Amino acid sequence: IIMSRSPEEARNWIKKNVDNHMNWEVMQDALRLSRQDLILYLQDNPHLFPVYLRIHYQDVQNLIQSRLARLSGKAYTDKDSVNEWIKHLTNEGFDVLFDVNDKGAVKRFILAWVSQWQLPILQRQDEVCIDSTHKTCVSFIDNRDCYLFTIICKNSDTKKGCPVGFMITNSE
């Protein structure tokens, strides 16, 4: 956002709202002026273009993405960050599986984790569903697209899906 063409006032407003976990839709609602408010603004400032009209979607998205990258990256390199996340999850009591198969033409990895509250739910299920989300990140091994798999069980009380495990891999 430093390189943005938006005025400093707009950049500061975007930063403040991203820091308050607002997304673009919420910010759009906050930026809307009624027709009467806009007329009043233009009467008081006939030569000023309203700053809120200069806030662009891409500026908001860029700031959100950079904030998420800072929060999710635990180290400078992706490989070190993955190792730091594995340590963190293990210290928090998660069961973690991490394996890298770098033999052969195609290098593959798998990182899977399940929390202590999810494990008993998973173990007593007869059926599970797996949802795959494509292109969630890029492999630290070979820069190929990765996939996030979510294991979901049906909650017997609410009859709704409950996520009980996660896996990231660069191979379907």
Side-chain angles (χ1 to χ4, degrees):
I1 196 158
I2 294 169
M3 301 301 289
S4 168
R5 294 174 141 190
S6 298
E8 186 175 351
E9 182 181 354
R11 290 192 309 264
N12 291 338
W13 187 88
I14 294 169
K15 183 178 181 326
K16 180 185 86 167
N17 287 295
V18 167
D19 289 345
N20 287 327
H21 309 287
M22 291 175 76
N23 63 17
W24 175 245
E25 289 177 18
V26 176
M27 285 187 210
Q28 271 188 310
D29 290 341
L31 290 170
R32 285 198 179 98
L33 285 180
S34 68
R35 186 173 182 83
Q36 186 168 345
D37 288 340
L38 181 58
I39 290 169
L40 288 173
Y41 176 85
L42 292 174
Q43 285 174 351
D44 293 340
N45 306 289
H47 302 296
L48 291 178
F49 191 73
V51 171
Y52 80 92
L53 292 176
R54 300 181 83 187
I55 293 176
H56 302 283
Y57 169 81
Q58 199 58 53
D59 290 336
V60 173
Q61 286 305 108
N62 289 343
L63 191 58
I64 289 171
Q65 292 300 322
S66 68
R67 185 174 190 272
L68 289 174
R70 280 193 318 273
L71 291 173
S72 63
K74 290 194 169 285
Y76 182 72
T77 65
D78 291 340
K79 187 173 186 177
D80 292 339
S81 187
V82 167
N83 289 325
E84 289 298 317
W85 271 109
I86 291 168
K87 286 180 200 171
H88 174 78
L89 290 170
T90 303
N91 290 340
E92 292 290 319
F94 285 72
D95 286 335
V96 178
L97 167 69
F98 180 61
D99 186 47
V100 176
N101 182 352
D102 54 5
K103 297 178 179 117
V106 179
K107 296 176 167 77
R108 296 183 176 148
F109 82 92
I110 181 173
L111 170 60
W113 66 97
V114 62
S115 72
Q116 293 305 307
W117 71 266
Q118 293 168 318
L119 191 57
I121 297 171
L122 178 60
Q123 289 172 333
R124 66 177 179 253
Q125 296 299 313
D126 293 328
E127 296 177 6
V128 296
C129 297
I130 297 178
D131 177 56
S132 173
T133 307
H134 300 267
K135 299 183 179 184
T136 55
C137 59
V138 177
S139 170
F140 63 90
I141 295 175
D142 57 9
N143 290 328
R144 290 184 5 207
D145 290 331
C146 290
Y147 308 91
L148 170 66
F149 291 90
T150 305
I151 302 169
I152 303 168
C153 295
K154 187 175 179 182
N155 184 307
S156 57
D157 297 327
T158 65
K159 307 295 186 221
K160 296 189 184 231
C162 175
V164 293
F166 303 93
M167 176 180 74
I168 296 176
T169 183
N170 62 341
S171 174
E172 282 191 288

